[in-house]
Amino acid sequence: KILRTKDYYELLGVPRNASEDHLKKAYRKLAVQVHPDKNGAPGADEAFKKVSKCFQCLTDKDDRASYDRFGEESDSRPTRRGGHRQHHRHEMTPEDLFAAFFGGGVPQNQHGEGAPQARLFQLLPVFLILVMTLMSNITNQTPRQDFSFEPAPGFEMRRHTQGLNVPYFVPSTFSNSYPEKSSELRQFDNHVDIYHIRSLHSECDWEEKKRTRDILQAKRRGNKQALEQIRKTPLASCEKLSSIKAEKPRLWKQAFYPF
């Protein structure tokens, strides 16, 4: 469908007055779907390149104005004087653009200076690390007075949840509030299981992004052996999450669709 669609706005699934944020969201969604490393369908590589071309055209002010007026980019459009416009904008490769959105930085332009957008993209990996650290703190010990996934001062007594058999640690006075075989204990264990599932989801997301970055780096270096090894390496958290979804679908839904 992407290869058959000629209109850039229709291809990205956005209105003609779409903002840059709207275009970025559309690109992220489509790029992941058609990336050759995730989509083995015939023509995926060409579709991936076309999505990149459309996005870069519509996020460049001059190119977008030209496209809206003439239905094509400005690289080879004739001028009123009969010549051709010289187009100096540095166009990123599809892989570089993808890496900019999902980690890996952005190449500099011909003058060695990154555009404002490029500098923002270069900060993206740092932002992701900060988010992952925050998520880890939230999921590993939240709320602090209830339980911890790791032994810590005041959380020395080890228990396992009744649903997923997840190990966790509680204060020595835990049984006073949550007696064995009580409904309160069942609800608490369910509470821990849900935090565990959400933690796995965050870790799985990180594993997938890391694999994508590693694959791109291996491809740039032309290291086929490393590329094959990366693709064979299992995503541990993703596999655990898939297993829970298959074996405990009700609990999995509670974690992501509580209402």
Side-chain angles (χ1 to χ4, degrees):
K1 181 181 177 181
I2 289 176
L3 296 177
R4 294 196 304 268
T5 304
K6 294 184 178 181
D7 184 85
Y8 285 5
Y9 293 99
E10 182 183 351
L11 186 147
L12 292 174
V14 297
R16 300 191 76 83
N17 63 346
S19 66
E20 187 167 329
D21 285 341
H22 197 168
L23 290 167
K24 288 178 180 177
K25 290 178 182 178
Y27 169 79
R28 286 191 187 97
K29 181 179 179 181
L30 270 180
V32 171
Q33 290 177 358
V34 300
H35 194 285
D37 289 329
K38 292 195 174 188
N39 190 329
D45 186 54
E46 292 302 314
F48 179 64
K49 292 177 182 177
K50 188 171 182 179
V51 169
S52 173
K53 180 181 180 181
C54 293
F55 173 76
Q56 293 192 67
C57 172
L58 297 184
T59 51
D60 181 273
K61 184 178 179 180
D62 293 335
D63 281 350
R64 184 171 182 174
S66 174
Y67 178 80
D68 288 343
R69 186 177 180 184
F70 298 97
E72 60 180 334
E73 291 191 69
S74 58
D75 297 61
S76 59
R77 178 168 58 84
T79 64
R80 292 182 180 179
R81 295 181 180 179
H84 286 77
R85 292 183 57 179
Q86 295 299 316
H87 188 55
H88 296 293
R89 178 175 63 86
H90 176 66
E91 184 171 322
M92 298 169 63
T93 67
E95 291 289 2
D96 284 338
L97 179 63
F98 187 87
F101 271 85
F102 297 97
V106 177
Q108 301 294 316
N109 63 20
Q110 293 175 350
H111 301 286
E113 297 179 355
Q117 275 189 328
R119 285 193 283 271
L120 286 175
F121 284 142
Q122 288 173 332
L123 292 174
L124 184 60
V126 177
F127 175 73
L128 289 174
I129 291 173
L130 291 174
V131 172
M132 289 301 301
T133 302
L134 178 62
M135 289 299 296
S136 177
N137 289 336
I138 292 173
T139 56
N140 283 342
Q141 192 170 314
T142 305
R144 290 181 179 274
Q145 68 271 21
D146 284 344
F147 74 96
S148 172
F149 284 125
E150 302 292 338
F155 297 87
E156 292 89 4
M157 192 169 79
R158 183 186 179 98
R159 291 186 53 85
H160 290 80
T161 62
Q162 300 173 48
L164 298 177
N165 198 37
V166 175
Y168 66 99
F169 297 84
V170 294
S172 57
T173 57
F174 179 80
S175 57
N176 295 338
S177 301
Y178 302 95
E180 291 294 331
K181 299 183 180 179
S182 65
S183 61
E184 290 82 5
L185 180 59
R186 286 195 298 273
Q187 290 176 3
F188 189 90
D189 278 352
N190 190 72
H191 168 75
V192 176
D193 280 335
I194 286 175
Y195 272 105
H196 174 66
I197 293 171
R198 290 174 180 171
S199 178
L200 283 177
H201 184 267
S202 296
E203 292 168 7
C204 173
D205 185 59
W206 182 85
E207 288 174 351
E208 288 179 333
K209 285 181 171 60
K210 183 179 184 300
R211 169 180 276 183
T212 300
R213 291 195 298 271
D214 290 345
I215 286 174
L216 290 175
Q217 290 174 3
K219 280 188 171 183
R220 290 193 188 105
R221 295 169 184 164
N223 193 332
K224 294 183 179 180
Q225 185 177 357
L227 186 61
E228 185 178 354
Q229 184 62 38
I230 292 168
R231 286 172 171 163
K232 287 182 178 179
T233 302
L235 304 180
S237 297
C238 296
E239 291 183 356
K240 290 178 183 177
L241 194 63
S242 296
S243 178
I244 291 173
K245 184 177 181 181
E247 298 174 7
K248 303 281 186 178
R250 185 174 180 180
L251 190 56
W252 187 88
K253 287 181 180 178
Q254 278 185 298
F256 301 109
Y257 307 101
F259 302 107

